[in-house]
Amino acid sequence: MAFTLPPLPYPTDALEPFYDKATLEIHHGKHHAAYVDKLNKALEAIPAFHDKGIDDILMDLDAIPQGMRQSVINNGGGHANHSLFWSIMAPGKGGAPKGKIGEAIQKEFGGFDEFKKTFTAKALELFGSGWTFLVQDADGKLQILNLPNQDSPISKRLQPLLLVDLWEHAYYLKFQNRRPEWVETWWNVVDWDRVEQYYIEEPAWLIEHAT
Ligand code: MN3
């Protein structure tokens, strides 16, 4: 069964003025769509993978024949990362996290302001294309990390909770070379309710690897 491009959970102009309609249309409709197409092409020759979910594929990269592995890392990761990215943004959101994820951030980072500062600094430290993630490990411990290209934390048995796209295609139309301004603006559309939902509902593959 082939992977399909998930529809955006909001109209393409819904995140204005923080995330512009033109960029979001191309980012979802062209870039994400291309990852899905290429992932399906890479998996055509591996029928054993046709009924697997993308998380299952990414958490066991060694099971993929070597000749196709890099394409699955790039395009499967691209599909997973972007699907999650659309879901953790929403109109009328932003602000500070509350509830369980707010408590966890308080405990781990000393508060939201500290967390935001650390996450932003990490994002600005990434050279080239990639993503900055907030992840939790099997013990529920939070950490911030950068991964290059479309690599997924799932391949490291880490559950991504929050992520920001640092490829130029994510921001160049509106922000050009101003990556710091993109990251600063992006905080306004972060949907912390969704992030908390991911934090609470740990996926089975993560729980299986608890120590
Ligand atoms: Mn992107």
Side-chain angles (χ1 to χ4, degrees):
M1 210 181 71
F3 288 97
T4 53
L5 179 68
L8 280 174
Y10 33 73
T12 51
D13 62 355
L15 303 179
E16 293 268 11
F18 306 113
Y19 202 34
D20 61 294
K21 177 181 163 75
T23 304
L24 187 49
E25 267 173 11
I26 297 169
H27 197 177
H28 174 260
K30 303 289 183 192
H31 290 277
H32 187 173
Y35 293 120
V36 173
D37 287 347
K38 289 178 187 163
L39 172 63
N40 286 331
K41 267 200 189 79
L43 293 177
E44 254 170 27
I46 334 176
F49 282 73
H50 289 190
D51 54 357
K52 285 195 177 199
I54 191 63
D55 288 5
D56 288 333
I57 291 173
L58 291 172
M59 62 175 279
D60 194 12
L61 294 173
D62 290 344
I64 301 164
Q66 212 170 3
M68 298 144 195
R69 194 176 300 155
Q70 194 58 47
S71 182
V72 172
I73 291 171
N74 294 344
N75 297 298
H79 176 44
N81 288 337
H82 285 89
S83 299
L84 188 66
F85 186 56
W86 313 132
S87 80
I88 57 90
M89 298 191 290
K93 296 290 184 169
K98 298 182 187 77
K100 289 202 161 58
I101 186 68
E103 285 167 26
I105 283 174
Q106 176 73 37
K107 189 172 155 225
E108 202 74 49
F109 301 97
F112 177 59
D113 289 347
E114 279 307 308
F115 165 77
K116 189 176 163 186
K117 208 186 289 177
T118 307
F119 188 99
T120 299
K122 194 76 180 172
L124 301 186
E125 164 183 304
L126 180 83
F127 181 77
S129 298
W131 299 74
T132 298
F133 298 87
L134 172 68
V135 300
Q136 70 174 330
D137 66 16
D139 299 318
K141 192 171 160 51
L142 299 179
Q143 58 172 296
I144 296 167
L145 82 158
N146 286 344
L147 291 176
N149 306 312
Q150 295 294 350
D151 290 8
S152 168
I154 296 169
S155 304
K156 298 174 179 297
R157 301 289 205 272
L158 297 167
Q159 182 194 9
L161 303 172
L162 176 74
L163 70 174
V164 64
D165 193 338
L166 299 171
W167 285 59
E168 283 187 345
H169 72 227
Y171 62 86
Y172 201 85
L173 270 186
K174 182 171 176 187
F175 297 97
Q176 288 85 48
N177 61 328
R178 304 187 304 278
R179 185 183 278 184
E181 197 180 319
W182 153 236
V183 176
E184 195 52 44
T185 305
W186 167 77
W187 288 108
N188 290 291
V189 292
V190 169
D191 182 354
W192 284 107
D193 296 329
R194 178 74 65 182
V195 176
E196 180 179 41
Q197 187 189 329
Y198 293 142
Y199 175 64
I200 295 169
E201 296 168 8
E202 296 177 17
W205 60 261
L206 183 68
I207 295 164
E208 279 163 22
H209 290 86
T211 51

